[in-house]
Amino acid sequence: MGILEVKNVGKRFGGLHALSDVNLSVAENSVHAIIGPNGAGKSTLLNCLVGKLIPDTGSVSFDGQSVLGRKPHEINQMGISRVFQTPEIFGDLTVLENMMIPCLARRDGAFALHGYRAMMRDREIVDRAEHMLEDMHMIDKRGMHAASMSRGDKRRLEIAMCLAQQPRLLLLDEPTAGMARADTNNTIELLKHIKDSRPITIAIIEHDMHVVFSLAERITVLAQGTPLVEDTPDNIKGHPKVREAYLGETEH
Amino acid sequence: MTDQTDYTPVAAQLPSRRAARDTILGLTRKDFGLLTVVIALTMLAPFLLNPFPSNSAMAQFNAGYPDLMQRFVIFGIFAIGFNILFGLTGYLSFGHAAFLGVGSYSCVWMFKLLGYNVLPGILLAIVVSGLFALLIGYISLRRSGIYFSILTLAFAQMSFALAYSVLSNPSFNLTNGETGLQVYTNDPQWLQGDGPRAPHIFGLAMRETETLSVGAWNFQFNAGYYLCAVVMIICFYLSVRLFRSPFGMMLRAVKSNQQRLNYTGVNARPYTLAAFVISGMYAGLAGGLLSAMDPLAGAERMQWTASGEVVLMTILGGAGTLIGPVLGAGFIKYFENIFSKINESTLHAWFAFLPDGLEDALVAIVYPFVGKGWHLTLGLLFMLVVIFLPGGLVQGGNKMATIFRRDRKGGGVEDDAAAQRQAGE
């Protein structure tokens, strides 16, 4: 029984079967990659996991509890953090403030009316946020406007924000999309460091095979809304069905 | 005034850890400095707003008379509250006048039922407008952006219609319709006793005014003004605390990226609702004070033009800045009351030194922009501010401070950069 269990999930958009009969089990403390050609339903699946979409059929459970019908912030409070394809950060806030928000969300929950307390005197939160920034080698940028950073730094900040919540499951949606090779390699190193430094389960959706094969312990191949095959990276590499799914797409 | 930007970069705000504890009244040194400036300006307003001798031609530009000074601070409170919602969360309400109106009516009802002490009226105004804001906010905040604005506008117009006609029929007269709600001699006034027959606070009448004559100057100190000023200072202090609190940071996060906030385990809805209710209570307090100064409440206070006015004040002064809304409120109220008083004969008197033809021509050009046409001038100024100073008057002040510093230091690239950094702080 994995920490994340997806059973018989189906999702239709009008006449389009975006997902049909998807079964997936992500083992605790593993790195699980979901790959597949464009339009395979990877992002739809991810959105079903975090509460952005509700599947038409099937069930999604995290640590034995169903996530269906819960709002994104509730699912997040259960221990699932999501990294977006384009970095979603608080661009108008400083880097340190960006880090403080997940720290506050973890300590005070989904809502707390602390309108009279001085934010910068909350040593617990400030220290935790600064510590996290030090850990991610971003402490020198603490006073910067988050929006003015490079894309690689924004990605790093977003991942740091997710980790500050100490999630049990980290979902990454094409974390290296649109990145230069050097930034991609940095992100791979960062994810390896995260994986090795704490108990955490990582599920990653990715196009870049280099990233997938550097990180994943298990890989699920999705094609036309259904899992084609699930196996270890070594077995996936030479799998005829996988080659067919990808090559089939390139012929178009 | 150097910095009133909505947020100060944390690193600049906190040069060292020791500085974090170095606070006065829970404010950083800089915020405390700003509070001191606001206190000084409001307390000395009777002097500052009366720079011209009362017998001079310029005397009509004096704004230091009680009625107008009261308006400055009351609308300052209204704008400070509006800024908590609009400046921090970015939710643009077009119906805040409804809360102003509700506060006004509540206060007059306290005069009618209890007596002329303003305290119960002001308290009830805050409570009732808070409840009203809870109801309207709960429904309106289901949508964001333009739909939110339209919903609030619709609610405000409904409230206006209710106050103007529906709730003023002979069997149930809550608002007294067109005439406006006022105190009549046959009202119960259960706790009135022997107190003054006009709004007062524990015996001190609001209209009580001491005049200090120094040479040709007449400075007026009005009890009502000082009550409003003290209330505004408290409101300003609370808003600074709120801006610098975790709650304030969450509100800024709502404006910046609501999606990220939701996926960070924070429920944005109660935050925006709390901001809406707080700003509604500020508006209700302002409405209550308006009635406390002049015990008459009319439905026109709820009209959409009044809602638009507070939006103008906030944007003109600088949305999201601490002091901007107060400056914007003062600016607009000054225009409304001073520019609108200038008439044709005043203009002729000003330009009398010119040859007749030129005088007439100049008067003809200037006249449309003053008197009844003061809105035209305000509109032009608003356009200029929005185009050249999107950060409002506060940004203008910061820019001037930057230029001033640059001149003093005699230029140089590094100095410029430093000055800009300082101005941004």
Side-chain angles (χ1 to χ4, degrees), chain A residues 52 73 76-77 82 84 88-92 96-97 105 110 112 114 116-117 119-120 130 145 158 165, chain B residues 7 10 14 17 20 237 241-242 244-247 249 252-253 256-257 259-260 262-265 267 271:
Chain A
K52 196 170 189 180
H73 69 89
N76 178 278
Q77 291 281 357
R82 172 180 181 175
F84 287 80
E88 293 278 351
I89 53 173
F90 303 110
D92 304 331
L96 181 62
E97 287 171 327
H114 295 316
Y116 198 67
R117 185 187 283 176
M119 175 181 84
M120 297 314 298
E130 284 180 342
H145 253 134
E158 191 189 22
Q165 297 192 286
Chain B
Y7 90 27
V10 167
L14 271 191
R17 294 200 171 187
Y237 173 73
R241 291 297 300 249
L242 193 144
R244 304 295 187 222
S245 72
F247 179 71
M249 187 167 72
R252 285 193 283 126
S256 182
N257 190 339
Q259 165 148 290
R260 172 38 79 198
N262 281 331
Y263 286 98
T264 306
N267 192 359
Y271 279 103

Side-chain angles (χ1 to χ4, degrees), chain B residues 184-209:
Chain B
Y184 295 111
T185 40
N186 60 350
D187 281 328
Q189 298 200 302
W190 291 307
L191 304 177
Q192 174 61 21
D194 307 328
R197 302 294 308 162
H200 66 89
I201 183 155
F202 303 115
L204 177 64
M206 292 293 110
R207 61 182 172 209
E208 196 123 323
T209 305

Side-chain angles (χ1 to χ4, degrees), chain B residues 110-154:
Chain B
M110 284 289 101
F111 291 155
K112 286 166 85 73
L113 295 176
L114 297 183
Y116 272 122
N117 194 329
V118 297
L119 213 54
I122 290 171
L123 292 178
L124 187 78
I126 299 173
V127 172
V128 174
S129 57
L131 291 173
F132 201 57
L134 187 67
L135 175 76
I136 292 182
Y138 183 78
I139 300 167
S140 304
L141 285 166
R142 304 192 153 262
R143 291 286 172 272
S144 59
I146 187 79
Y147 303 101
F148 168 81
S149 303
I150 295 292
L151 278 171
T152 51
L153 176 62

Side-chain angles (χ1 to χ4, degrees), chain B residues 145-224:
Chain B
I146 187 79
Y147 303 101
F148 168 81
S149 303
I150 295 292
L151 278 171
T152 51
L153 176 62
F155 273 115
Q157 284 303 89
M158 273 154 58
S159 312
F160 170 70
L162 280 175
Y164 195 73
S165 54
V166 182
L167 293 178
S168 71
N169 53 67
S171 59
F172 183 71
N173 192 352
L174 196 66
T175 60
N176 210 18
E178 241 176 294
T179 323
L181 193 66
Q182 48 190 298
V183 185
Y184 295 111
T185 40
N186 60 350
D187 281 328
Q189 298 200 302
W190 291 307
L191 304 177
Q192 174 61 21
D194 307 328
R197 302 294 308 162
H200 66 89
I201 183 155
F202 303 115
L204 177 64
M206 292 293 110
R207 61 182 172 209
E208 196 123 323
T209 305
E210 289 287 329
T211 305
L212 173 70
S213 297
V214 182
W217 284 269
N218 292 313
F219 302 113
Q220 301 182 63
F221 301 90
N222 168 259

